Amino acid sequence: MSGKGNETVTHRIAVIGGDGIGPEVISVALDVITAAGADISTTDFDLGGQRYLRDGTVLDDDTLDELRAYDAILLGAVGTPEVPPGVIERGLLLKARFSLDLYVNLRPFTLPDGHSFTVIRENTEGAYAGEGGFLRKGTPHEIATQGSVNTRMGAERVIRYGFELARQRERRHLTLVHKTNVLTFSGDLWERTFNEVAVEYPDVGTAYNHVDAACIHFVEDPHRYEVIVTDNLFGDILTDLGGAISGGIGLAASANLNPDRTSPSLFEPVHGSAPDIAGQGLANPTAAVLSAVLMLEFLGEAECAARVRAACEAAVSHDEVPDIGTDEIAKAIHAGLTDG
């Protein structure tokens, strides 16, 4: 809890359990952070694929306005096989990111040997902005275009966030990842902006990698990285690979941040709703718990967050833990809180 003097501050959390394993893992995350001493109040929001199938609602403007009143949003996972691809992703996830200006996607990774690095993904522009369309759709001469929208403001603010984060790390190093040799317009904007902002951070070392080279380095030499900043599409790809090399997506947490705090930030595991194992007690809740840790850190609850993170690290350090089921992993994390 946080506060001034004897006054405690209760953080108001909007909870979107969602679909599939989402409610299962979010339940564990809330139990763990409450046991660790987080002072929160929660409100459940019924959103996701199942809600869409019932009444066609994805994320209406009235609900979006309700969400704005909360300190943070904790999301489990959304999506069901019965809903066409893109409906929930664009109508809920991307709408929330764009409308709440969650322009930083923060993805921390810890390798089995303890090395950690963080990817900062621009979260509101690029190929996901929705620019494009069809000509002569459904004919043999069909044309589809999909543009990448990049602004100086959008690139600069996420690059600057990357430099600030790198300045707090041990090596003080930031790598820009893009594809400047082919994407000569967007890449040029990103590289020029990166180099201009770098002048303001002489204490931070810098490097540049093409995205395809970065994929190789992730597999062969991830220790070269400390903080990475990249665009929306490349960040989406790199962070999935980051999850794969750091223990699997069952451990992959994420934060969608509004660093200006003009809207609530959103925190979610990235493993998806996994409907094939929903309700069977097989889901690994660690990513959801670690997403809640990122939420606590952003809300200023550093001590509580550190306790939960240490408990998660202790639990997953045992080889058998990732395979023993939701309840057992939850018990292992709770045991880590008690031991700490």
Side-chain angles (χ1 to χ4, degrees), residues 258-273:
N258 178 316
D260 307 319
R261 300 177 189 266
T262 56
S263 298
S265 294
L266 184 152
F267 304 84
E268 58 173 330
V270 300
H271 47 53
S273 60

Side-chain angles (χ1 to χ4, degrees), residues 15-23 25-26 45-52 58 74-81 83 87-94 97 266 268-275:
V15 177
I16 303 173
D19 303 307
I21 65 171
V25 297
I26 288 300
F45 284 79
D46 180 15
L47 297 171
Q50 292 298 328
R51 171 68 185 275
Y52 175 78
V58 182
L74 186 61
L75 184 150
V78 290
T80 61
V83 178
V87 172
I88 304 300
E89 293 85 350
R90 295 207 66 86
L92 197 163
L93 298 176
L94 294 189
R97 292 174 187 173
L266 184 152
E268 58 173 330
V270 300
H271 47 53
S273 60

Side-chain angles (χ1 to χ4, degrees), residues 11-294:
H11 302 290
R12 301 179 65 240
I13 310 302
V15 177
I16 303 173
D19 303 307
I21 65 171
E24 301 172 43
V25 297
I26 288 300
S27 175
V28 173
L30 292 173
D31 286 346
V32 168
I33 65 173
T34 301
D39 192 355
I40 61 171
S41 66
T42 62
T43 302
D44 292 323
F45 284 79
D46 180 15
L47 297 171
Q50 292 298 328
R51 171 68 185 275
Y52 175 78
L53 291 173
R54 286 202 309 274
D55 62 16
T57 297
V58 182
L59 176 59
D60 58 88
D61 290 341
D62 288 342
T63 303
L64 185 61
D65 286 341
E66 286 185 58
L67 291 172
R68 292 181 189 276
Y70 288 82
D71 299 313
I73 303 167
L74 186 61
L75 184 150
V78 290
T80 61
E82 299 84 3
V83 178
V87 172
I88 304 300
E89 293 85 350
R90 295 207 66 86
L92 197 163
L93 298 176
L94 294 189
K95 182 175 182 177
R97 292 174 187 173
F98 297 162
S99 299
L100 301 176
D101 204 19
L102 308 178
Y103 62 86
V104 167
N105 182 248
L106 179 77
R107 293 284 299 275
F109 301 103
T110 300
L111 302 178
D113 65 5
H115 175 72
S116 63
F117 65 96
T118 300
V119 177
I120 305 299
R121 166 190 172 191
E122 200 289 317
N123 213 27
T124 60
E125 296 187 346
Y128 292 11
E131 191 275 333
F134 292 102
L135 292 173
R136 298 187 288 275
K137 186 176 182 180
T139 76
H141 304 287
E142 180 174 343
I143 299 170
T145 63
Q146 190 80 55
S148 178
V149 177
N150 300 266
T151 68
R152 168 68 191 225
M153 181 197 75
E156 181 173 343
R157 64 184 183 175
V158 75
I159 287 169
R160 193 173 296 280
Y161 185 91
F163 273 103
E164 290 290 340
L165 182 63
R167 180 174 268 175
Q168 301 169 27
R169 300 294 294 269
E170 182 179 357
R171 287 168 44 205
R172 296 191 175 190
H173 192 272
L174 178 65
T175 302
L176 170 65
V177 172
H178 211 280
K179 189 67 175 172
T180 56
N181 59 338
V182 175
L183 303 178
T184 53
F185 301 119
S186 60
D188 183 71
L189 171 63
W190 272 81
E191 189 168 41
R192 280 187 292 110
T193 304
F194 184 84
N195 291 337
E196 290 168 16
V197 174
V199 174
E200 303 176 36
Y201 296 85
D203 55 328
V204 176
T206 62
Y208 170 80
N209 289 164
H210 290 325
V211 64
D212 44 349
C215 288
I216 295 172
H217 297 323
F218 264 45
V219 175
E220 296 185 345
D221 183 25
H223 296 80
R224 69 171 56 207
Y225 296 118
E226 189 171 50
V227 181
I228 293 169
V229 64
T230 189
D231 87 336
N232 208 337
L233 177 58
F234 296 148
D236 192 1
I237 297 167
L238 279 177
T239 52
D240 281 354
L241 181 55
I245 65 171
S246 60
I249 57 175
L251 306 179
S254 78
N256 300 272
L257 302 179
N258 178 316
D260 307 319
R261 300 177 189 266
T262 56
S263 298
S265 294
L266 184 152
F267 304 84
E268 58 173 330
V270 300
H271 47 53
S273 60
D276 56 321
I277 62 169
Q280 300 177 44
L282 300 176
N284 186 341
T286 308
V289 178
L290 290 172
S291 296
V293 167
L294 295 177

